[in-house]
Amino acid sequence: MNQMTSRRAVVRVPSGPRSIEAIDVPVAEPGAAEIRVKIAAAAINPVDLGVAGGVFHRLGLVHQPDYTGLGWDFAGTVDAAGPGVELQVGTRVAGFIDGFDRDHGSHAEHLVVSAENVAVVPDGMDLVEAATVPLNTTAAAQLADLLGEASSEARRLLVTGAAGVVGAHVAVLAQDRGWQVTGMARAADEPFVRGLGVDFVTGLGQGWDAVVDAGALQEPALRAVRDGGRFIGVQPASRLPEERGIAVEVVFAHPDGALLAGLLARVATGELPARVHAVAPLDEAAGAYQAMAKGGVRGRIVLVP
């Protein structure tokens, strides 16, 4: 009997989107507390561009001998379950896998993951839409955790990249913690940003109590924080040094199925935005990555096997 195979997108010598190729590998079986997901949709994120471009290889964070798998976000159905798993085959789930040093990713037909790292997709939510949610909303929620509660002395928060996927979610979630949020984005994005219930600016300004740098502006955004304020970045490999008494933190999103379940529910009710920019076949991953790299994408490009 021939072993069933599964297609996945990988890079052997990472040098950008053109180095992406699709290969066939044997379908893996889930172990204890694991599930195998038949992928229905998988979003492309900026971190994926970094992996395909070799950014994390050059930082010494990837040591794969043959090829590196691509993709973090996914949504699909449980295809098989290992011992100790309560999720039933056929259950619709979403989640993400983290880390850089792996030969597999979500840009594939199948994926084996820990059952505790996924969440059940709410009834009525499209799986393509659900695939845009896990990494970005989880990162935003964990950014909000680092930010903490606002106080009477520190309430003014600037979110850079507020029209982006992570920034938009932070802008909403920070309001839950009492922050007076202002979103920074391009002028054309003002209606969307104000629709999140926040103020809007096109420039950094000065004197903010806190800045969440979802736009990855780095040093210029840090300079916009007042002395003794807070700065939270999104580039773990490029954490900025503290200065002027500013508390500097950086988020590295990690899977949390229970957290994701609540976030998916808020997306399903419209409390949190979910935007699909475009859909492309898995076998056209290289072209989809190129489109993402050109910029100007609002939402996510989603790969469909």
Side-chain angles (χ1 to χ4, degrees), residues 13-288:
V13 181
S15 56
R18 294 184 183 278
S19 63
I20 297 172
E21 60 180 292
I23 64 171
D24 292 311
V25 298
V27 173
E29 295 298 324
E34 292 182 331
I35 58 172
R36 186 175 67 221
V37 178
K38 184 176 182 181
I39 304 294
I44 302 174
N45 291 286
V47 66
D48 300 317
L49 296 178
V51 175
V55 171
F56 304 104
H57 293 72
R58 291 190 290 274
L59 289 171
L61 300 176
V62 181
H63 307 282
Q64 291 300 311
D66 299 316
Y67 52 79
T68 304
L70 298 172
W72 287 44
D73 273 320
F74 64 88
T77 56
V78 177
D79 187 51
V85 175
E86 296 183 358
L87 288 169
Q88 299 296 309
V89 170
T91 302
R92 303 189 325 144
V93 296
F96 73 94
I97 50 174
D98 58 353
F100 308 105
D101 193 16
R102 46 183 167 80
D103 65 359
H104 60 283
S106 67
H107 296 166
E109 292 178 328
H110 299 86
L111 181 67
V112 173
V113 294
S114 170
E116 68 177 8
N117 288 346
V118 305
V120 175
V121 175
D123 291 341
M125 178 179 281
D126 181 76
L127 289 178
V128 171
E129 179 183 58
T132 70
V133 175
L135 175 59
N136 299 296
T137 56
T138 299
Q142 291 168 354
L143 275 165
D145 286 342
L146 290 174
L147 182 65
E149 302 292 327
S151 68
S152 58
E153 295 80 26
R155 302 187 65 186
R156 297 179 63 248
L157 169 67
L158 176 70
V159 178
T160 71
V165 181
V166 174
H169 290 132
V170 172
V172 175
L173 295 172
Q175 295 176 71
D176 296 343
R177 295 173 177 263
W179 290 92
Q180 295 176 346
V181 182
T182 298
M184 174 186 164
R186 298 182 304 181
D189 293 314
E190 181 173 359
F192 172 78
V193 175
R194 289 195 182 277
L196 302 172
V198 304
D199 292 332
F200 175 81
V201 293
T202 57
L204 287 166
Q206 295 290 325
W208 298 98
D209 294 321
V211 170
V212 170
D213 189 26
L217 304 181
Q218 294 286 85
E219 288 86 355
L222 180 63
R223 290 195 292 269
V225 183
R226 66 165 172 81
D227 294 356
R230 297 180 63 79
F231 175 89
I232 304 176
V234 294
Q235 295 185 323
S238 303
R239 182 187 182 121
L240 296 177
E242 295 187 358
E243 61 175 59
R244 298 184 287 114
I246 297 170
V248 175
E249 309 247 24
V250 63
V251 71
F252 188 97
H254 54 274
D256 184 330
L259 174 63
L260 177 59
L263 295 167
L264 280 166
R266 294 186 69 174
V267 172
T269 60
E271 294 178 59
L272 291 172
R275 289 174 289 166
V276 177
H277 179 80
V279 176
L282 175 64
D283 282 342
E284 297 177 14

